[in-house]
């Protein structure tokens, strides 16, 4: 009985970093790997049994789904939900949160995002901005970019960065507290490779 190719596939399977894969299919993969190793250890196994174990493990490996790879700006042009958003058609819009524009108004009128100044929202009334990244990623960094308009002074004072894989259950990933900016400087937060499709900025105190 030839065990060479079975052992080769087992070595490939054991070399996988399972933290880079979504939960779906992991249990089946682990079972197929355990079965393949048991077959490889059985010197009385027939060639048909060895070939079947190899095929089953290969299929389980192929069924694993990698998290989408992180890019430069995962949120670029992605949809944003922002209740009470001020949409004046020129300077402010929720779509400007992810348009990638960060230049003076003399160069582009996309100032950024703001709550509707004509609404009854108070300084400590909570507002949530939710971005759908359209796929699951392992997030290592979230960068919040203040609008150049008003020199960064319109940036929220208190907020929590929350992440979710389904848009229903949220986990706190980072927070900003007593933020007071004198310039539109990026606010960067390091995350521990958190799996997420949705990122929500839950503002609890406005500027």
């Amino acid at each position: 009985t030839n065990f060479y190719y079975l052992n080769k596939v087992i070595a490939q399977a054991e070399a996988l970093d399972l933290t880079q894969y979504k939960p779906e299919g992991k249990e089946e993969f682990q079972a197929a790997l355990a079965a393949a190793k048991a077959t490889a250890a059985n010197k009385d196994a027939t060639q048909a049994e060895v070939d079947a174990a190899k095929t089953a493990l290969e299929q389980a490996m192929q069924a694993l789904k990698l998290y989408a790879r992180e890019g430069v700006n995962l949120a670029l042009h992605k949809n944003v939900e922002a209740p009470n958003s001020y949409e004046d058609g020129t300077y402010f819009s929720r779509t400007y949160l992810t348009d990638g524009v960060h230049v003076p108004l003399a160069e582009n009128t996309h100032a950024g995002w703001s709550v509707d100044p004509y609404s009854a929202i108070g300084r400590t009334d909570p507002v949530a901005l939710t971005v759908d990244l359209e796929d699951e990623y392992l997030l290592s960094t979230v960068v919040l970019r203040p609008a150049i308009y008003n020199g960064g002074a319109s940036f929220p004072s208190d907020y929590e960065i929350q992440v979710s894989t389904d848009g229903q259950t949220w986990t706190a990933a980072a927070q900003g507290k007593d933020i007071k900016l004198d310039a539109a400087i990026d606010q960067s937060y390091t995350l521990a490779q958190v799996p997420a499709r949705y990122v929500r900025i839950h503002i609890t105190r406005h500027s």
Side-chain angles (χ1 to χ4, degrees):
T1 303
N2 185 351
F3 291 90
Y4 174 78
Y5 293 104
L6 174 59
N7 285 322
K8 186 174 182 179
V9 174
I10 289 173
Q12 292 173 347
E14 291 182 324
L16 293 178
D17 180 2
L18 291 182
T19 64
Q20 301 299 310
Y21 292 84
K22 298 178 182 180
E24 298 83 359
K26 281 187 179 181
E27 186 175 338
E28 293 79 2
F29 167 77
Q30 296 283 18
L33 177 57
K37 292 172 72 173
T39 300
N42 179 12
K43 301 309 176 184
D44 295 326
T46 66
Q47 191 62 53
E49 291 172 332
V50 169
D51 292 345
K54 170 181 171 291
T55 298
L57 181 54
E58 287 176 330
Q59 291 175 341
M61 290 171 63
Q62 292 169 0
L64 291 173
K65 297 181 179 180
L66 274 168
Y67 284 107
R69 297 300 183 182
E70 187 166 351
V72 175
N73 183 356
L74 300 177
L76 188 63
H77 302 308
K78 299 297 172 57
N79 184 59
V80 181
E81 290 185 7
N84 298 106
S85 179
Y86 183 38
E87 305 285 334
D88 72 348
T90 303
Y91 297 104
F92 298 99
S93 172
R94 62 180 175 80
T95 62
Y96 298 167
L97 284 165
T98 58
D99 67 353
V101 174
H102 197 240
V103 296
L105 290 180
E107 299 177 35
N108 192 298
T109 61
H110 293 190
W113 171 84
S114 172
V115 294
D116 188 343
Y118 302 105
S119 69
I121 293 178
R123 191 181 182 209
T124 57
D125 289 335
V127 171
L129 312 176
T130 305
V131 182
D132 180 359
L133 301 178
E134 300 178 358
D135 203 342
E136 284 189 33
Y137 294 85
L138 289 177
L139 300 184
S140 59
T141 307
V142 170
V143 178
L144 304 182
R145 176 160 287 177
I148 291 180
Y149 167 79
N150 207 19
S154 298
F155 196 72
S157 298
D158 295 348
Y159 51 85
E160 186 173 73
I161 299 172
Q162 304 170 344
V163 296
S164 173
T165 57
D166 59 7
Q168 301 296 320
T169 303
W170 296 88
T171 301
Q175 68 174 357
K177 185 74 172 175
D178 296 324
I179 305 296
K180 296 179 181 178
L181 301 182
D182 296 322
I185 301 172
D186 287 357
Q187 303 299 295
S188 182
Y189 298 87
T190 300
L191 309 186
Q193 294 287 301
V194 180
R197 169 174 172 166
Y198 302 90
V199 177
R200 182 166 70 185
I201 313 303
H202 184 66
I203 301 169
T204 54
R205 186 157 59 103
H206 305 274
S207 59

